[in-house]
Amino acid sequence: MKKYKASILTALLLAAITTWGQAQQKALTDTSFMQVYCACSYDQIDGFFDKGRTPARTTLDLPTLVYAYPDKKAMIIDTIAPFTNVTLLKEGIDTSLNIQWIEAAYGFSQNGVYKENTGYIIDTLLSIGNVKGNTSAGGLDLILGRSPLLDKDFKQPRFRLHAVSRANNSNHSKLLKVQSYDLNIGAVDYYNHFYLTSVYNNALQQMPNLLRLYWHHGESCPESEGHVFIFAGNGKMSELISASTTGEAGFYEFTKVYIPLKFNNGKVLLVENGDSEHMFNTWDATLKTIPYPKDCNIPITELIVSVEESGEEKTDAQGNSVIDKNGSAVMSITHKIIRYYRWNGSQLKEVKKIVIKQGN
């Protein structure tokens, strides 16, 4: 009996010490740098665009440690399995160690009982974005994260795309298959805004999952942005084509990609960057589409068009900028090429090139 009482006292004492230790650590841990995560926001932070459009993320391909507080010396309160869904609550950077922390909520099933928990996770251990994929059986998540191949100087930015097949069980947690593919999304040194989304209602034949990775670079002038289009289906993934835009006072250059989208009325349109959400140009009340080029001899359901163009300000004999009636500088096209690509269900191939003006 005395031994039993001693065991109880020992357990209570350990619990009290643990609680006291956590309270002391909480008092000493500075969490003032953690701010509420603002998703679906195009507000600017420090002059640049905020990241992300949704608080829904997942862990990546390794077990993820969860800390009691945003401090690597804090108690580890949990370990989350790979590709577990989490919801971002707060974010912040510990400037003393240059670590970005996320406070996240996550759920798990234990002995058939679903539980919710919260804790702090290092940002690089979470996905950048998730997309629900189309599949004939079970559930498919397409999950983008940083690749281990990403070098510290961002000279070759790489991101890893995971195709995660899940069982159709009650909490969708059982993994059936995981495929991974490393993306190199172009020669831009730094991204301060990026997200992954589906190209909804794309009309390309045998294209179950067409993804668009958007990036924005705005650390200095000129600002630039771009889109990488990724095919994910039939057991493989590949980068199809990319678009980009940059410019400042005096010059511009862009590559725009036009993807066929099918609308509810059955009509198929070639839409700039396959982005139906932003296909209306409010500046001049026009649609960001191009007419189907009938002379290309490619069915619209197999066609992708890219338009490369660059230009610079016109100047007069004295070297002064030519200004139009609206007070804007008149731009002169210095380079323009149109390319027609054909999608055969498994790969994209350039079949025609039209040079409007060769330059640069």
Side-chain angles (χ1 to χ4, degrees):
M1 185 69 177
K2 288 181 179 179
K3 187 176 181 181
Y4 177 70
K5 287 182 177 179
S7 298
I8 294 175
L9 288 173
T10 301
L12 291 173
L13 182 60
L14 286 173
I17 291 171
T18 301
T19 303
W20 178 85
Q22 288 178 335
Q24 289 297 107
Q25 185 175 46
K26 185 174 182 180
L28 294 173
T29 302
D30 178 18
T31 60
S32 62
F33 60 88
M34 299 296 296
Q35 303 294 322
V36 173
Y37 182 83
C38 184
C40 303
S41 171
Y42 290 96
D43 293 339
Q44 292 187 338
I45 295 178
D46 296 333
F48 305 128
F49 289 104
D50 188 12
K51 304 188 308 293
R53 303 204 303 175
T54 170
R57 299 286 194 273
T58 73
T59 56
L60 295 175
D61 52 335
L62 297 174
T64 300
L65 299 179
V66 182
Y67 295 83
Y69 308 106
D71 186 335
K72 290 189 77 172
K73 295 179 182 178
M75 179 181 292
I76 296 171
I77 60 173
D78 207 348
T79 301
I80 309 180
F83 304 116
T84 297
N85 295 320
V86 303
T87 301
L88 276 56
L89 304 176
K90 292 183 179 180
E91 65 177 346
I93 298 177
D94 179 355
T95 55
S96 64
L97 298 172
N98 196 30
I99 297 176
Q100 181 154 345
W101 288 92
I102 294 292
E103 183 181 10
Y106 58 96
F108 59 95
S109 182
Q110 187 174 14
N111 300 324
V113 179
Y114 185 78
K115 297 183 177 181
E116 288 283 350
N117 204 354
T118 61
Y120 293 89
I121 299 170
I122 296 174
D123 174 72
T124 54
L125 303 178
L126 293 178
S127 67
I128 292 169
N130 311 331
V131 170
K132 288 293 182 185
N134 294 316
T135 181
S136 57
L140 177 65
D141 288 337
L142 297 158
I143 297 169
L144 182 70
R146 294 168 179 81
S147 169
L149 302 178
L150 176 64
D151 63 75
K152 293 181 180 179
D153 296 327
F154 284 86
K155 290 179 180 177
Q156 292 185 320
R158 287 186 180 270
F159 297 86
R160 180 163 290 180
L161 183 66
H162 306 273
V164 180
S165 299
R166 303 182 189 269
N168 256 337
N169 57 14
S170 57
N171 61 1
H172 228 52
S173 61
K174 183 179 179 181
L175 305 183
L176 300 178
K177 185 179 181 182
V178 177
Q179 291 178 288
S180 301
Y181 177 75
D182 286 309
L183 305 169
N184 186 1
I185 67 173
V188 176
D189 296 332
Y190 176 76
Y191 307 89
N192 49 29
H193 180 60
F194 40 79
Y195 59 81
L196 182 71
T197 185
S198 288
V199 179
Y200 297 103
N201 303 315
N202 86 80
L204 290 167
Q205 64 172 356
Q206 299 179 53
M207 178 65 80
N209 297 292
L210 180 60
L211 312 181
R212 178 170 61 90
L213 172 60
Y214 169 81
W215 58 263
H216 173 261
H217 170 63
E219 189 178 39
S220 60
C221 289
E223 290 195 31
S224 57
E225 66 175 8
H227 310 262
V228 180
F229 297 91
I230 305 157
F231 164 65
N234 303 328
K236 71 174 192 175
M237 290 179 275
S238 61
E239 297 172 61
L240 292 184
I241 194 169
S242 60
S244 62
T245 301
T246 189
E248 58 182 343
F251 89 98
Y252 72 88
E253 61 183 18
F254 63 71
T255 298
K256 295 180 179 178
V257 172
Y258 294 86
I259 307 286
L261 302 186
K262 187 173 184 178
F263 294 85
N264 287 338
N265 60 5
K267 193 170 185 178
V268 177
L269 298 176
L270 292 166
V271 178
E272 182 180 317
N273 298 323
D275 188 358
S276 58
E277 183 181 357
H278 301 104
M279 64 183 290
F280 183 72
N281 191 338
T282 56
W283 176 258
D284 57 6
T286 58
L287 291 178
K288 296 180 182 179
T289 60
I290 58 171
Y292 168 60
K294 296 180 180 178
D295 61 344
C296 72
N297 298 318
I298 303 173
I300 195 169
T301 55
E302 301 173 20
L303 176 67
I304 291 179
V305 179
S306 80
V307 179
E308 305 168 12
E309 184 176 308
S310 61
E312 59 186 29
E313 283 185 353
K314 280 188 176 181
T315 56
D316 58 23
Q318 287 73 42
N320 299 314
S321 298
V322 177
I323 305 300
D324 64 18
K325 62 180 180 180
N326 298 316
S328 300
V330 176
M331 305 299 288
S332 175
I333 295 175
T334 57
H335 167 98
K336 186 169 185 177
I337 294 177
I338 300 173
R339 302 177 192 271
Y340 298 148
Y341 295 86
R342 188 165 198 162
W343 169 252
N344 65 7
S346 61
Q347 63 180 354
L348 194 66
K349 184 178 180 181
E350 182 180 337
V351 296
K352 189 173 183 180
K353 173 181 172 181
I354 303 173
V355 178
I356 308 297
K357 188 167 187 177
Q358 186 74 59
N360 294 353

